[in-house]
């Protein structure tokens, strides 16, 4: 599904009118176009399914060591900065950091691909919980591993700028699949790595 920039421009113009402003005044004349271009960028992930994203970023390399030793070695990329927009209020989710871990199964992903997967999964109307589930699903497809862990910490402007207005509140979510889901020793090893 392609983002319809013309429809966005039309609706943003209508929104400006609904807010009681004049979309033809100097400061707002180009706002519908600017917003449409911004939305095309910040919602780029909406153009692709999880499977399509996985195939875009599936560049991997043979990992002879872990394949030969049936290893529990963890690959962890932590503190990946992302942002997203809450599907409930279209409000910004900000100061978000994602940590993604997996146990390779004969292949390892290029490290930048993991960051790109996290970034693209966030560029949708989202819930923080779903971002974690989407990243885990994409990682499984891209890496061939069922053993995925995704931990996200972020702030939500729907809590900090409106409603209850708790500026310091942050939300932490986890998504564990495969051995990460039930193996306490593996979880402990992961948490130890996260704290270094």
């Amino acid at each position: 599904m392609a983002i319809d920039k013309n429809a966005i421009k039309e609706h943003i113009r209508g929104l400006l009118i609904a807010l009681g402003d004049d979309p033809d005044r100097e400061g707002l004349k180009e706002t519908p176009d600017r917003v449409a271009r911004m939305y095309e960028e910040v919602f780029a992930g909406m153009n692709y399914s999880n499977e399509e994203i996985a195939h875009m970023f599936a560049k991997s390399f043979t990992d002879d060591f872990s394949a030969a030793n049936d290893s529990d070695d963890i690959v962890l990329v932590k503190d990946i900065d992302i942002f997203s927009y809450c599907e409930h209020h279209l409000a910004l989710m900000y100061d978000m950091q994602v940590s993604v871990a997996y146990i390779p199964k004969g292949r390892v992903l290029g490290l930048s691909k993991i960051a790109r997967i996290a970034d693209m999964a966030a560029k949708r109307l989202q819930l923080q919980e779903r971002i974690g589930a989407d990243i885990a699903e994409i990682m499984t497809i891209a890496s061939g591993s069922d053993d995925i862990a995704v931990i996200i910490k972020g702030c939500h402007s729907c809590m900090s700028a409106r409603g209850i207005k708790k500026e310091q509140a942050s939300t932490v979510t986890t998504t564990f699949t495969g051995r990460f889901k039930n193996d306490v020793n593996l979880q402990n090893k992961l948490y130890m790595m996260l704290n270094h």
Side-chain angles (χ1 to χ4, degrees), residues 80-110:
I80 303 166
D81 292 319
I82 63 165
F83 67 89
S84 192
Y85 287 85
C86 164
E87 68 182 30
H88 295 153
H89 299 96
L90 303 185
L92 185 63
M93 294 189 278
Y94 60 97
D95 288 343
M96 297 183 84
Q97 291 195 323
V98 180
S99 295
V100 180
Y102 74 106
I103 299 173
K105 275 182 125 173
R107 301 199 61 77
V108 291
L109 286 175

Side-chain angles (χ1 to χ4, degrees), residues 11-192:
H11 290 293
I12 293 299
R13 182 176 172 78
L15 179 62
L16 293 171
I17 293 167
L19 290 170
D21 214 325
D22 175 9
D24 294 317
R25 74 174 171 82
E26 185 64 31
L28 294 179
K29 277 183 188 175
E30 296 177 27
T31 297
D33 183 59
R34 282 192 295 263
V35 171
R37 284 184 281 120
M38 179 187 82
Y39 278 7
E40 185 176 47
E41 179 182 339
V42 301
F43 295 123
M46 296 181 76
N47 292 318
Y48 306 100
S49 68
N50 285 350
E51 189 167 318
E52 289 169 325
I53 294 169
H55 293 297
M56 284 176 11
F57 303 120
K59 177 72 174 176
S60 62
F61 308 92
T62 302
D63 176 27
D64 296 328
F65 179 76
S66 65
N69 295 298
D70 195 27
S71 173
D72 278 342
D73 288 345
I74 297 171
V75 175
L76 169 65
V77 179
K78 65 181 189 174
D79 303 329
I80 303 166
D81 292 319
I82 63 165
F83 67 89
S84 192
Y85 287 85
C86 164
E87 68 182 30
H88 295 153
H89 299 96
L90 303 185
L92 185 63
M93 294 189 278
Y94 60 97
D95 288 343
M96 297 183 84
Q97 291 195 323
V98 180
S99 295
V100 180
Y102 74 106
I103 299 173
K105 275 182 125 173
R107 301 199 61 77
V108 291
L109 286 175
L111 296 177
S112 70
K113 304 304 184 242
I114 297 170
R116 291 179 190 279
I117 286 168
D119 194 53
M120 192 62 83
K123 287 186 174 182
R124 298 168 168 167
L125 290 174
Q126 278 286 24
L127 299 174
Q128 184 169 319
E129 300 88 337
R130 189 181 314 119
I131 295 171
D134 284 348
I135 292 170
E137 180 181 341
I138 295 165
M139 283 292 299
T140 296
I141 298 166
S143 70
S145 174
D146 295 320
D147 307 314
I148 312 290
V150 182
I151 299 161
I152 305 174
K153 180 179 181 182
C155 298
H156 296 239
S157 60
C158 57
M159 279 186 61
S160 63
R162 60 155 302 279
I164 195 157
K165 297 182 183 169
K166 298 299 179 192
E167 295 175 18
Q168 299 303 312
S170 62
T171 301
V172 178
T173 56
T174 61
T175 304
F176 290 165
T177 67
R179 289 184 280 168
F180 282 110
K181 192 168 193 163
N182 298 310
D183 187 332
V184 175
N185 291 329
L186 208 52
Q187 291 172 10
N188 289 337
K189 182 177 177 181
L190 173 62
Y191 287 124
M192 185 181 70

